[in-house]
Amino acid sequence: MPPIASRPSFLSFIVIVLTILLGPIPTLTQAGKPHHINFRSPNLYPEGVTYDPSAQHFIVGSLHHRIIVSVSDAGIADTLISDPTLPENVSVVGLTVDSVNNRLLANIHALAPLPEFNALAAYDLRTRQRLFLSPLPSDDVSDGTRQIANDVAMDFKGNAYVTNSAGNFIWKVNAQGEASIFSKSRAFTAQPVDRDLPYSFCGLNGVAYNSKGYLLVVQSNTGKMFKVDAEDGTARLVLLPEDMHFADGIAIRSDGVVLVVSHKTLWFLKSQDSWGEGAVYDKIDLDPKGFPTSVAVGAEDRAYVLRGHVMEGMTGNVEREEFSIAEVRSVKESKEESVWIFVLIGLGLAYFLFWRFQMRQLVGNLNKKTN
């Protein structure tokens, strides 16, 4: 009987050894083709996307309409928020869901030649009513540069952090809607910019909050990423093996993998030292036709990019009804999952053979006793 009692410890030993050699066993959730969501909303041209885990749907903004739209997994688009009190023709750009307080935060920006307008709006997701609209203060040394409120992230205290792509600084809006300039670190302007690039004007862009108490912010015109302390706003450059040119949106998966999207690429980044430096774990080429601008983490930690055709919408002389949100998978992670499937099959076979061996020993021992 003792050999049978030792079987669980033997199996545990195998699992521990395999985990040390190959890393933690991943969740095998990516069977089948990547999820592709087509949805219709006339001339929406969304720039930003976020995911609401409670309602289990995506939320997108609009380039020209004062609405926010929910998109189901099946591609059903419904108007979630309609706010006619906003200035006419403003854009709803960066979005994030405050799951703790059941709020939706949205950056509101007016494109030229409209009068300059930058604000953060907060909406109650239960009543769909606006809680506040906080104008974002201008920088005293902006020299008349038109400011651009772009992306938004929030911490667990209800504070929101908004990137200014023209001024290269970060606003902070507390839970009561009080706005201030939070970080104007010199690190944001220390990198050289190629002024011949069509997006040279676009500095700080995507922002995401890490639960360890800091922000990760990407900069479009340099391809750099910064780590910003969420308490005092101090920032430092994250060392990466390559620049992420025209980096736009950013998101963080529950396993710590950082996703950064441009209109042509989705980067999968990892770090072993809380983002003093990072590594490009994988890099996926995207079809630039839909001009991806934002990335969100959906159900089961899947990465989704928004194809909102924003550049087409900015020309102002075209119309479009169909847009899409598409799952993008890491090729390397898919290969690792395939390896683990074979490993688990082999592990099951080894356990079965070991069990048969033990049963034979048990039967042999019983036969000896009866003889």
Side-chain angles (χ1 to χ4, degrees):
M1 297 302 290
I4 295 178
S6 67
R7 281 182 296 166
S9 61
F10 176 78
L11 179 60
S12 300
F13 173 75
I14 293 177
V15 173
I16 291 171
V17 171
L18 289 173
T19 301
I20 292 173
L21 293 176
L22 299 178
I25 298 175
T27 303
L28 306 179
T29 60
Q30 296 192 352
K33 295 181 179 180
H35 186 200
H36 193 93
I37 305 170
N38 292 317
F39 64 96
R40 294 180 176 276
S41 185
N43 298 322
L44 190 69
Y45 292 106
E47 192 275 342
V49 62
T50 190
Y51 183 73
D52 185 349
S54 297
Q56 297 183 336
H57 60 210
F58 293 93
I59 300 174
V60 298
S62 175
L63 195 62
H64 300 302
H65 304 318
R66 293 169 289 185
I67 62 173
I68 299 171
V69 174
S70 66
V71 181
S72 72
D73 285 349
I76 299 173
D78 292 312
T79 299
L80 181 67
I81 302 291
S82 178
D83 192 347
T85 64
L86 294 174
E88 190 173 357
N89 292 323
V90 292
S91 301
V92 182
V93 283
L95 300 160
T96 192
V97 171
D98 178 359
S99 298
V100 175
N101 299 299
N102 206 25
R103 300 183 306 167
L104 174 66
L105 302 179
N107 282 341
I108 312 298
H109 172 67
L111 295 168
L114 296 173
E116 185 170 348
F117 185 84
N118 293 284
L120 180 71
Y123 298 94
D124 188 314
L125 283 171
R126 286 181 293 265
T127 64
R128 302 189 182 186
Q129 299 298 307
R130 195 173 74 195
L131 300 173
F132 62 74
L133 179 67
S134 299
L136 300 171
S138 297
D139 182 12
D140 293 335
V141 293
S142 60
D143 297 327
T145 301
R146 189 182 181 97
Q147 306 301 289
I148 304 174
N150 203 322
D151 201 12
V152 58
M154 63 159 300
D155 61 24
F156 297 131
K157 299 177 182 178
N159 299 307
Y161 304 88
V162 178
T163 52
N164 184 332
S165 294
N168 269 313
F169 61 80
I170 300 172
W171 287 290
K172 180 178 180 179
V173 182
N174 66 19
Q176 291 72 44
E178 299 167 336
S180 61
I181 295 176
F182 172 65
S183 179
K184 293 179 60 178
S185 172
R186 292 182 179 179
F188 299 150
T189 55
Q191 304 300 317
V193 175
D194 183 353
R195 295 300 174 184
D196 293 330
L197 294 174
Y199 50 88
S200 62
F201 69 93
C202 188
L204 297 183
N205 201 327
V207 58
Y209 177 76
N210 188 290
S211 58
K212 294 182 180 179
Y214 56 84
L215 308 170
L216 292 177
V217 188
V218 292
Q219 193 170 47
S220 296
N221 55 11
T222 65
K224 305 296 185 182
M225 184 164 75
F226 301 93
K227 178 181 178 181
V228 183
D229 190 292
E231 290 295 328
D232 59 18
T234 56
R236 61 180 181 180
L237 180 69
V238 177
L239 300 178
L240 295 172
E242 64 179 81
D243 292 336
M244 299 178 291
H245 295 291
F246 207 5
D248 198 332
I250 184 172
I252 304 176
R253 293 194 324 204
S254 64
D255 60 359
V257 171
V258 169
L259 310 168
V260 177
V261 71
S262 75
H263 67 291
K264 295 193 296 185
T265 307
L266 179 64
W267 288 270
F268 290 75
L269 308 177
K270 290 184 177 181
S271 177
Q272 301 296 327
D273 63 354
S274 294
W275 298 103
E277 60 181 309
V280 178
Y281 174 71
D282 204 355
K283 184 166 62 172
I284 307 298
D285 293 332
L286 304 176
D287 182 358
K289 183 178 179 181
F291 207 82
T293 52
S294 186
V295 59
V297 177
E300 299 175 336
D301 249 6
R302 298 185 178 196
Y304 288 84
V305 298
L306 171 67
R307 295 189 173 105
H309 299 267
V310 172
M311 291 304 293
E312 176 185 301
M314 292 180 71
T315 64
N317 57 1
V318 294
E319 292 190 357
R320 174 180 290 273
E321 186 173 358
E322 186 172 288
F323 307 92
S324 65
I325 301 170
E327 180 189 359
V328 180
R329 296 178 181 174
S330 164
V331 175
K332 291 184 178 179
E333 288 179 343
S334 297
K335 288 180 179 178
E336 284 185 358
E337 288 191 353
S338 298
V339 170
W340 267 112
I341 290 174
F342 288 109
V343 168
L344 293 174
I345 291 173
L347 180 60
L349 179 61
Y351 183 62
F352 173 72
L353 293 175
F354 182 74
W355 175 80
R356 287 192 61 186
F357 173 75
Q358 294 284 40
M359 290 303 295
R360 285 180 180 178
Q361 279 194 328
L362 175 61
V363 172
N365 291 336
L366 290 176
N367 288 336
K368 289 179 180 180
K369 289 181 179 180
T370 57
N371 292 332

